[in-house]
mmCIF file of all heavy atoms in Angstrom:
data_model
loop_
_atom_site.group_PDB
_atom_site.id
_atom_site.type_symbol
_atom_site.label_atom_id
_atom_site.label_comp_id
_atom_site.label_asym_id
_atom_site.label_seq_id
_atom_site.Cartn_x
_atom_site.Cartn_y
_atom_site.Cartn_z
ATOM 1 N N PRO A 123 -5.084 19.490 10.951
ATOM 2 C CA PRO A 123 -5.213 18.838 12.251
ATOM 3 C C PRO A 123 -6.668 18.856 12.746
ATOM 4 O O PRO A 123 -7.426 19.751 12.386
ATOM 5 C CB PRO A 123 -4.344 19.707 13.176
ATOM 6 C CG PRO A 123 -3.786 20.810 12.319
ATOM 7 C CD PRO A 123 -4.602 20.869 11.081
ATOM 8 N N ASN A 125 -9.807 19.634 15.021
ATOM 9 C CA ASN A 125 -10.210 20.760 15.890
ATOM 10 C C ASN A 125 -9.284 21.972 15.743
ATOM 11 O O ASN A 125 -8.970 22.651 16.724
ATOM 12 C CB ASN A 125 -10.277 20.309 17.354
ATOM 13 C CG ASN A 125 -11.117 19.052 17.494
ATOM 14 O OD1 ASN A 125 -12.173 18.941 16.879
ATOM 15 N ND2 ASN A 125 -10.652 18.100 18.268
ATOM 16 N N SER A 126 -8.872 22.230 14.534
ATOM 17 C CA SER A 126 -7.977 23.350 14.209
ATOM 18 C C SER A 126 -8.139 23.664 12.729
ATOM 19 O O SER A 126 -8.344 22.748 11.926
ATOM 20 C CB SER A 126 -6.542 22.936 14.528
ATOM 21 O OG SER A 126 -5.627 23.771 13.877
ATOM 22 N N PRO A 127 -8.053 24.943 12.361
ATOM 23 C CA PRO A 127 -8.154 25.265 10.926
ATOM 24 C C PRO A 127 -6.945 24.731 10.159
ATOM 25 O O PRO A 127 -5.937 24.360 10.771
ATOM 26 C CB PRO A 127 -8.180 26.804 10.905
ATOM 27 C CG PRO A 127 -8.386 27.246 12.303
ATOM 28 C CD PRO A 127 -7.890 26.140 13.186
ATOM 29 N N SER A 160 0.400 7.030 -8.594
ATOM 30 C CA SER A 160 -0.186 7.210 -9.931
ATOM 31 C C SER A 160 0.724 6.567 -10.978
ATOM 32 O O SER A 160 1.923 6.405 -10.751
ATOM 33 C CB SER A 160 -0.348 8.690 -10.245
ATOM 34 O OG SER A 160 0.905 9.284 -10.501
ATOM 35 N N ARG A 161 0.154 6.227 -12.126
ATOM 36 C CA ARG A 161 0.944 5.606 -13.202
ATOM 37 C C ARG A 161 2.093 6.510 -13.623
ATOM 38 O O ARG A 161 3.181 6.052 -13.939
ATOM 39 C CB ARG A 161 0.047 5.304 -14.419
ATOM 40 C CG ARG A 161 -0.747 4.016 -14.300
ATOM 41 C CD ARG A 161 -1.217 3.529 -15.678
ATOM 42 N NE ARG A 161 -1.855 4.586 -16.449
ATOM 43 C CZ ARG A 161 -3.142 4.911 -16.390
ATOM 44 N NH1 ARG A 161 -3.946 4.235 -15.603
ATOM 45 N NH2 ARG A 161 -3.628 5.891 -17.123
ATOM 46 N N SER A 162 1.864 7.822 -13.603
ATOM 47 C CA SER A 162 2.893 8.793 -14.010
ATOM 48 C C SER A 162 3.924 9.037 -12.906
ATOM 49 O O SER A 162 4.875 9.792 -13.098
ATOM 50 C CB SER A 162 2.226 10.111 -14.409
ATOM 51 O OG SER A 162 1.253 10.490 -13.443
ATOM 52 N N ASP A 164 4.004 10.767 -10.262
ATOM 53 C CA ASP A 164 4.201 12.136 -9.784
ATOM 54 C C ASP A 164 3.268 12.461 -8.620
ATOM 55 O O ASP A 164 3.390 13.510 -7.988
ATOM 56 C CB ASP A 164 3.989 13.155 -10.915
ATOM 57 C CG ASP A 164 2.606 13.054 -11.525
ATOM 58 O OD1 ASP A 164 2.013 11.951 -11.494
ATOM 59 O OD2 ASP A 164 2.097 14.070 -12.038
ATOM 60 N N TYR A 167 -0.573 8.710 -2.498
ATOM 61 C CA TYR A 167 -1.102 8.954 -1.156
ATOM 62 C C TYR A 167 -0.769 7.756 -0.287
ATOM 63 O O TYR A 167 -0.546 6.654 -0.796
ATOM 64 C CB TYR A 167 -2.602 9.258 -1.163
ATOM 65 C CG TYR A 167 -3.521 8.104 -1.477
ATOM 66 C CD1 TYR A 167 -3.943 7.237 -0.466
ATOM 67 C CD2 TYR A 167 -3.995 7.883 -2.759
ATOM 68 C CE1 TYR A 167 -4.816 6.184 -0.735
ATOM 69 C CE2 TYR A 167 -4.848 6.831 -3.042
ATOM 70 C CZ TYR A 167 -5.261 5.991 -2.034
ATOM 71 O OH TYR A 167 -6.107 4.950 -2.303
ATOM 72 N N LYS A 189 -5.235 7.526 13.008
ATOM 73 C CA LYS A 189 -4.984 7.193 11.596
ATOM 74 C C LYS A 189 -4.619 8.467 10.843
ATOM 75 O O LYS A 189 -4.899 9.567 11.315
ATOM 76 C CB LYS A 189 -6.228 6.552 10.983
ATOM 77 C CG LYS A 189 -7.427 7.496 10.930
ATOM 78 C CD LYS A 189 -8.681 6.833 11.465
ATOM 79 C CE LYS A 189 -9.811 7.837 11.624
ATOM 80 N NZ LYS A 189 -9.781 8.551 12.928
ATOM 81 N N MET A 204 2.142 17.021 0.314
ATOM 82 C CA MET A 204 1.271 18.128 -0.090
ATOM 83 C C MET A 204 0.185 18.391 0.947
ATOM 84 O O MET A 204 -0.161 19.525 1.225
ATOM 85 C CB MET A 204 0.618 17.819 -1.442
ATOM 86 C CG MET A 204 1.586 17.777 -2.599
ATOM 87 S SD MET A 204 2.482 19.338 -2.824
ATOM 88 C CE MET A 204 1.146 20.389 -3.392
ATOM 89 N N MET A 207 -3.221 14.844 6.982
ATOM 90 C CA MET A 207 -4.408 14.906 7.853
ATOM 91 C C MET A 207 -4.398 13.702 8.780
ATOM 92 O O MET A 207 -4.013 12.610 8.385
ATOM 93 C CB MET A 207 -5.667 14.912 6.987
ATOM 94 C CG MET A 207 -6.932 15.292 7.727
ATOM 95 S SD MET A 207 -8.267 15.724 6.586
ATOM 96 C CE MET A 207 -9.367 16.578 7.713
ATOM 97 N N PHE A 208 -4.823 13.902 10.026
ATOM 98 C CA PHE A 208 -4.814 12.803 11.001
ATOM 99 C C PHE A 208 -5.919 13.019 12.025
ATOM 100 O O PHE A 208 -6.378 14.153 12.229
ATOM 101 C CB PHE A 208 -3.439 12.723 11.707
ATOM 102 C CG PHE A 208 -3.092 13.974 12.469
ATOM 103 C CD1 PHE A 208 -3.378 14.088 13.833
ATOM 104 C CD2 PHE A 208 -2.510 15.055 11.833
ATOM 105 C CE1 PHE A 208 -3.075 15.239 14.540
ATOM 106 C CE2 PHE A 208 -2.212 16.224 12.541
ATOM 107 C CZ PHE A 208 -2.498 16.319 13.891
ATOM 108 N N ALA A 210 -7.726 10.972 15.868
ATOM 109 C CA ALA A 210 -7.744 9.863 16.830
ATOM 110 C C ALA A 210 -8.818 8.835 16.448
ATOM 111 O O ALA A 210 -9.783 9.145 15.757
ATOM 112 C CB ALA A 210 -8.013 10.404 18.233
ATOM 113 N N ASP A 211 -8.619 7.602 16.903
ATOM 114 C CA ASP A 211 -9.589 6.533 16.641
ATOM 115 C C ASP A 211 -10.749 6.552 17.634
ATOM 116 O O ASP A 211 -11.779 5.911 17.416
ATOM 117 C CB ASP A 211 -8.905 5.162 16.725
ATOM 118 C CG ASP A 211 -8.135 4.825 15.446
ATOM 119 O OD1 ASP A 211 -8.218 5.608 14.485
ATOM 120 O OD2 ASP A 211 -7.451 3.787 15.431
ATOM 121 N N LYS A 212 -10.561 7.259 18.777
ATOM 122 C CA LYS A 212 -11.615 7.222 19.818
ATOM 123 C C LYS A 212 -12.037 8.627 20.218
ATOM 124 O O LYS A 212 -11.226 9.549 20.162
ATOM 125 C CB LYS A 212 -11.099 6.475 21.051
ATOM 126 C CG LYS A 212 -11.391 4.992 20.909
ATOM 127 C CD LYS A 212 -10.934 4.223 22.152
ATOM 128 C CE LYS A 212 -10.960 2.715 21.871
ATOM 129 N NZ LYS A 212 -10.274 1.963 22.913
ATOM 130 N N PRO B 195 -13.161 8.954 9.774
ATOM 131 C CA PRO B 195 -13.842 9.994 10.558
ATOM 132 C C PRO B 195 -13.087 10.313 11.854
ATOM 133 O O PRO B 195 -12.376 9.457 12.373
ATOM 134 C CB PRO B 195 -15.197 9.350 10.896
ATOM 135 C CG PRO B 195 -15.187 7.979 10.297
ATOM 136 C CD PRO B 195 -13.773 7.640 9.992
ATOM 137 N N ASN B 197 -12.330 10.684 15.730
ATOM 138 C CA ASN B 197 -12.751 9.946 16.936
ATOM 139 C C ASN B 197 -13.488 8.651 16.615
ATOM 140 O O ASN B 197 -14.462 8.283 17.273
ATOM 141 C CB ASN B 197 -13.615 10.841 17.830
ATOM 142 C CG ASN B 197 -12.935 12.180 18.091
ATOM 143 O OD1 ASN B 197 -11.738 12.225 18.319
ATOM 144 N ND2 ASN B 197 -13.693 13.258 18.011
ATOM 145 N N SER B 198 -13.032 7.979 15.582
ATOM 146 C CA SER B 198 -13.630 6.721 15.148
ATOM 147 C C SER B 198 -12.583 5.970 14.330
ATOM 148 O O SER B 198 -11.793 6.598 13.618
ATOM 149 C CB SER B 198 -14.859 7.022 14.297
ATOM 150 O OG SER B 198 -15.200 5.920 13.484
ATOM 151 N N PRO B 199 -12.541 4.640 14.426
ATOM 152 C CA PRO B 199 -11.560 3.894 13.620
ATOM 153 C C PRO B 199 -11.892 4.007 12.124
ATOM 154 O O PRO B 199 -12.996 4.419 11.763
ATOM 155 C CB PRO B 199 -11.722 2.447 14.101
ATOM 156 C CG PRO B 199 -12.554 2.499 15.326
ATOM 157 C CD PRO B 199 -13.354 3.749 15.256
ATOM 158 N N SER B 232 -2.890 13.807 -11.150
ATOM 159 C CA SER B 232 -1.599 13.290 -11.623
ATOM 160 C C SER B 232 -1.504 13.452 -13.134
ATOM 161 O O SER B 232 -2.527 13.520 -13.819
ATOM 162 C CB SER B 232 -1.443 11.814 -11.255
ATOM 163 O OG SER B 232 -2.286 11.017 -12.072
ATOM 164 N N ARG B 233 -0.275 13.489 -13.672
ATOM 165 C CA ARG B 233 -0.096 13.628 -15.121
ATOM 166 C C ARG B 233 -0.785 12.498 -15.873
ATOM 167 O O ARG B 233 -1.324 12.712 -16.950
ATOM 168 C CB ARG B 233 1.400 13.633 -15.464
ATOM 169 C CG ARG B 233 2.094 14.978 -15.252
ATOM 170 C CD ARG B 233 3.398 15.061 -16.051
ATOM 171 N NE ARG B 233 4.246 13.890 -15.844
ATOM 172 C CZ ARG B 233 5.135 13.775 -14.847
ATOM 173 N NH1 ARG B 233 5.312 14.767 -13.996
ATOM 174 N NH2 ARG B 233 5.861 12.680 -14.727
ATOM 175 N N SER B 234 -0.783 11.306 -15.293
ATOM 176 C CA SER B 234 -1.406 10.141 -15.939
ATOM 177 C C SER B 234 -2.920 10.131 -15.773
ATOM 178 O O SER B 234 -3.597 9.254 -16.301
ATOM 179 C CB SER B 234 -0.806 8.859 -15.359
ATOM 180 O OG SER B 234 -0.765 8.934 -13.937
ATOM 181 N N ASP B 236 -4.922 9.321 -13.477
ATOM 182 C CA ASP B 236 -5.554 8.169 -12.836
ATOM 183 C C ASP B 236 -5.659 8.344 -11.324
ATOM 184 O O ASP B 236 -6.301 7.548 -10.647
ATOM 185 C CB ASP B 236 -4.791 6.874 -13.156
ATOM 186 C CG ASP B 236 -3.326 6.953 -12.707
ATOM 187 O OD1 ASP B 236 -2.780 8.080 -12.655
ATOM 188 O OD2 ASP B 236 -2.730 5.900 -12.420
ATOM 189 N N TYR B 239 -6.351 14.276 -5.797
ATOM 190 C CA TYR B 239 -6.877 14.530 -4.450
ATOM 191 C C TYR B 239 -7.544 15.884 -4.455
ATOM 192 O O TYR B 239 -7.257 16.737 -5.290
ATOM 193 C CB TYR B 239 -5.781 14.433 -3.390
ATOM 194 C CG TYR B 239 -4.755 15.528 -3.355
ATOM 195 C CD1 TYR B 239 -4.995 16.722 -2.659
ATOM 196 C CD2 TYR B 239 -3.535 15.381 -4.000
ATOM 197 C CE1 TYR B 239 -4.039 17.720 -2.609
ATOM 198 C CE2 TYR B 239 -2.583 16.383 -3.965
ATOM 199 C CZ TYR B 239 -2.838 17.549 -3.269
ATOM 200 O OH TYR B 239 -1.897 18.541 -3.231
ATOM 201 N N LYS B 261 -12.920 20.889 7.511
ATOM 202 C CA LYS B 261 -12.144 20.714 6.282
ATOM 203 C C LYS B 261 -12.081 19.240 5.925
ATOM 204 O O LYS B 261 -12.315 18.394 6.796
ATOM 205 C CB LYS B 261 -10.734 21.274 6.472
ATOM 206 C CG LYS B 261 -9.946 20.529 7.535
ATOM 207 C CD LYS B 261 -9.242 21.452 8.495
ATOM 208 C CE LYS B 261 -8.656 20.707 9.683
ATOM 209 N NZ LYS B 261 -9.623 20.456 10.761
ATOM 210 N N MET B 276 -11.240 7.017 -3.017
ATOM 211 C CA MET B 276 -10.468 5.949 -2.377
ATOM 212 C C MET B 276 -10.382 6.176 -0.871
ATOM 213 O O MET B 276 -10.420 5.221 -0.098
ATOM 214 C CB MET B 276 -9.050 5.905 -2.971
ATOM 215 C CG MET B 276 -9.009 5.462 -4.414
ATOM 216 S SD MET B 276 -9.712 3.823 -4.678
ATOM 217 C CE MET B 276 -8.493 2.792 -3.852
ATOM 218 N N PHE B 280 -12.051 13.875 7.209
ATOM 219 C CA PHE B 280 -12.566 15.217 7.535
ATOM 220 C C PHE B 280 -12.438 15.471 9.027
ATOM 221 O O PHE B 280 -12.366 14.536 9.822
ATOM 222 C CB PHE B 280 -14.035 15.354 7.091
ATOM 223 C CG PHE B 280 -14.958 14.377 7.778
ATOM 224 C CD1 PHE B 280 -15.667 14.741 8.917
ATOM 225 C CD2 PHE B 280 -15.090 13.069 7.314
ATOM 226 C CE1 PHE B 280 -16.494 13.847 9.572
ATOM 227 C CE2 PHE B 280 -15.916 12.168 7.958
ATOM 228 C CZ PHE B 280 -16.619 12.556 9.091
ATOM 229 N N SER B 281 -12.414 16.751 9.400
ATOM 230 C CA SER B 281 -12.454 17.102 10.813
ATOM 231 C C SER B 281 -12.876 18.550 10.996
ATOM 232 O O SER B 281 -12.734 19.379 10.081
ATOM 233 C CB SER B 281 -11.085 16.873 11.488
ATOM 234 O OG SER B 281 -10.122 17.771 11.017
ATOM 235 N N ALA B 282 -13.383 18.842 12.190
ATOM 236 C CA ALA B 282 -13.862 20.198 12.517
ATOM 237 C C ALA B 282 -12.692 21.171 12.631
ATOM 238 O O ALA B 282 -11.558 20.768 12.898
ATOM 239 C CB ALA B 282 -14.647 20.166 13.821
ATOM 240 N N ASP B 283 -12.970 22.449 12.412
ATOM 241 C CA ASP B 283 -11.950 23.502 12.527
ATOM 242 C C ASP B 283 -11.731 23.934 13.980
ATOM 243 O O ASP B 283 -10.727 24.573 14.295
ATOM 244 C CB ASP B 283 -12.347 24.734 11.699
ATOM 245 C CG ASP B 283 -12.016 24.552 10.230
ATOM 246 O OD1 ASP B 283 -11.396 23.543 9.867
ATOM 247 O OD2 ASP B 283 -12.409 25.426 9.425
ATOM 248 N N LYS B 284 -12.720 23.623 14.863
ATOM 249 C CA LYS B 284 -12.605 24.084 16.259
ATOM 250 C C LYS B 284 -12.751 22.930 17.244
ATOM 251 O O LYS B 284 -13.433 21.969 16.956
ATOM 252 C CB LYS B 284 -13.692 25.129 16.534
ATOM 253 C CG LYS B 284 -13.193 26.515 16.149
ATOM 254 C CD LYS B 284 -14.277 27.561 16.420
ATOM 255 C CE LYS B 284 -13.901 28.899 15.780
ATOM 256 N NZ LYS B 284 -14.992 29.861 15.818
#
Side-chain angles (χ1 to χ4, degrees):
Chain A
N125 309 317
S126 162
S160 73
R161 278 200 311 273
S162 46
D164 58 332
Y167 71 86
K189 64 228 171 274
M204 293 301 291
M207 193 164 197
F208 61 94
D211 280 355
K212 271 182 192 168
Chain B
N197 309 319
S198 160
S232 73
R233 279 200 310 273
S234 47
D236 58 332
Y239 71 85
K261 64 227 170 277
M276 292 301 291
F280 61 95
S281 68
D283 279 354
K284 273 180 191 171

